[in-house]
Amino acid sequence: MSAPTSTDVRLAAHTTLRLGGPATRLVPASSADEIVAAVGDADRAGDPVLVLGGGSNLVVADEGFAGTAVLLASRGVRTGRRDDGSVLVTVEAGEDWDDVVAACVDEGLGGIECLSGIPGRSGATPVQNVGAYGVEVADLLVDVDLYDRRAGRVREHVPAAELGLGYRTSVLKGRDSVDGAIVLRVRFALSGDGLSAPIRYAELARRLDVAAGERVPARAARETVLELRRGKGMVLDAGDHDTWSAGSFFTNPIVAVADAPDLEGLATWPAGDGMLKLSAAGLIQASGFDRGHPGPGGRVGLSSRHVLALTNRGSGRTEDLLALAREVRDGVAARTGVDLRPEPVLVGCSI
């Protein structure tokens, strides 16, 4: 049975920014088969398709989306032991990501805990190669099942190595991905000993009072990550406008060592082959943008807790947010010579 279709539904209700105009059609899909059917029907009709998960990494134009938005609502999590002693966790694309992380920690599974508190659906995690506090999806992902839109068929157990996973990117990123594929389910390999991945992120290690590389109980790591994220306004709270964001709006830029700006106190990390990863937050602050910096009319602004989050203060429009993003991008370029690039997927708009 096909899923019920709604027309002219504002996409603001389906994004964490609470911004975005209407889609021509919105089709909920509660299983992998329904996802394939909804997308396939739209493709055969020549209708543009927007796949919606939790809307946590999405900026939709005020004009909306002239096409079919398919809302991922598939559910299911399964676990099984592997020959090497690790645990294979299979997750349907529509599962809430943090619910999955919490369930894994509750089951004594380790490796995924540093990705706690990240909003969105599980199927989006390999698309963006989601990462936080020293762990990326690429560290855990075994394979995915995909619907290949161009071939019109489902591909099962596509290895992670074929997805081009990089810093906040993959071949799947964006509505016009390289192979036109949509993630239906994901599989991760986790440890079964209840311990975290080795703690790599300095801030997290300090808060846990451990040396870099040590492992701790996965629950302790999860709780500490959630505390850190809440302190930065990065855990969703409907009553807190500081969390009405798409998370970190800009990626940490990677530049040649010779091109790195000489800014006192700027956090940097080695990125291999003579390259450095720079703190986008540090660049923004060094360019004169403080926490709470207002955008047009005060309707949007930088978070009062973290300059990387561009927030809707409750009455904003997408164009307000984009204007603020341009102001920050251009200010950083003028002050430091570094180009900041947006992390969210921009639908029908640009900066």
Side-chain angles (χ1 to χ4, degrees), residues 263-295:
L263 295 174
E264 184 178 355
L266 178 66
T268 65
W269 302 271
D273 297 326
M275 307 296 284
L276 276 181
K277 182 189 293 184
L278 311 179
S279 166
L283 292 167
I284 291 169
Q285 289 175 312
S287 301
F289 298 98
D290 296 324
R291 297 173 185 177
H293 177 86

Side-chain angles (χ1 to χ4, degrees), residues 9 82 112 175 211 254 277 298 327:
V9 176
R82 305 171 82 205
I112 202 171
R175 291 188 294 112
I254 297 175
K277 182 189 293 184
E327 179 189 2

Side-chain angles (χ1 to χ4, degrees), residues 10 17-21 59-64 249 295-297 299-300 310 312 315-327 347-351:
R10 278 186 57 80
L17 274 163
R18 276 81 163 176
L19 297 176
V59 179
V60 180
D62 292 314
E63 294 75 18
F249 194 89
R299 296 180 295 271
V300 298
L310 276 61
N312 173 12
S315 59
R317 301 172 68 251
T318 300
E319 189 51 46
D320 296 329
L321 190 88
L322 297 173
L324 175 60
R326 295 181 192 113
E327 179 189 2
V347 177
C349 56
S350 62
I351 67 168

Side-chain angles (χ1 to χ4, degrees), residues 11 45 66 91 105 164 170 202 249 257 305 328:
L11 295 177
V91 186
V105 171
S170 73
F249 194 89
V257 171
R305 285 172 274 185
V328 172

Side-chain angles (χ1 to χ4, degrees), residues 5-241:
T5 300
S6 303
T7 58
D8 293 321
V9 176
R10 278 186 57 80
L11 295 177
H14 297 281
T15 71
T16 54
L17 274 163
R18 276 81 163 176
L19 297 176
T24 307
R25 281 166 296 282
L26 179 69
V27 182
S30 59
S31 69
D33 287 345
E34 287 190 4
I35 296 169
V36 171
V39 174
D41 287 348
D43 283 344
R44 285 186 288 275
D47 201 21
V49 174
L50 172 65
V51 178
L52 277 174
S56 59
N57 199 50
L58 202 62
V59 179
V60 180
D62 292 314
E63 294 75 18
F65 179 70
T68 297
V70 178
L71 184 62
L72 301 185
S74 52
R75 298 289 185 267
V77 180
R78 301 180 299 281
T79 61
R81 290 279 174 179
R82 305 171 82 205
D83 291 342
D84 63 3
S86 64
V87 177
L88 185 70
V89 181
T90 302
V91 186
E92 297 299 309
E95 282 283 349
D96 179 87
W97 175 249
D98 192 57
D99 287 350
V100 171
V101 177
C104 288
V105 171
D106 286 344
E107 290 294 319
L109 305 182
I112 202 171
E113 57 289 321
C114 288
L115 302 180
S116 292
I118 296 173
R121 299 290 183 261
S122 297
T125 59
V127 176
Q128 185 74 5
N129 188 20
V130 164
Y133 294 98
V135 173
E136 291 183 332
V137 161
D139 301 327
L140 313 169
L141 189 66
V142 175
D143 61 39
V144 301
D145 292 349
L146 302 171
Y147 175 54
D148 186 329
R149 294 170 61 190
R150 293 187 176 136
R153 67 183 180 90
V154 173
R155 298 173 58 201
E156 297 183 334
H157 298 285
V158 178
E162 293 185 13
L163 301 181
L165 299 169
Y167 174 59
R168 303 298 177 269
T169 193
S170 73
V171 297
L172 304 168
K173 188 174 180 179
R175 291 188 294 112
D176 299 314
S177 60
V178 169
D179 61 0
I182 294 170
V183 177
L184 301 175
R185 62 183 59 85
V186 292
R187 298 179 186 85
F188 302 99
L190 304 180
S191 67
D193 58 8
L195 295 178
S196 71
I199 302 299
R200 304 186 186 108
Y201 200 79
E203 182 184 23
L204 180 58
R206 286 195 300 271
R207 187 66 67 92
L208 287 165
D209 194 24
V210 298
E214 286 189 35
R215 301 176 72 202
V216 302
R219 185 174 302 282
R222 170 174 166 78
E223 291 172 353
T224 303
V225 165
L226 288 173
E227 289 175 6
L228 290 169
R229 290 184 65 87
R230 288 191 187 100
K232 299 172 183 177
M234 295 291 188
V235 176
L236 290 179
D237 180 347
D240 183 356
H241 287 154

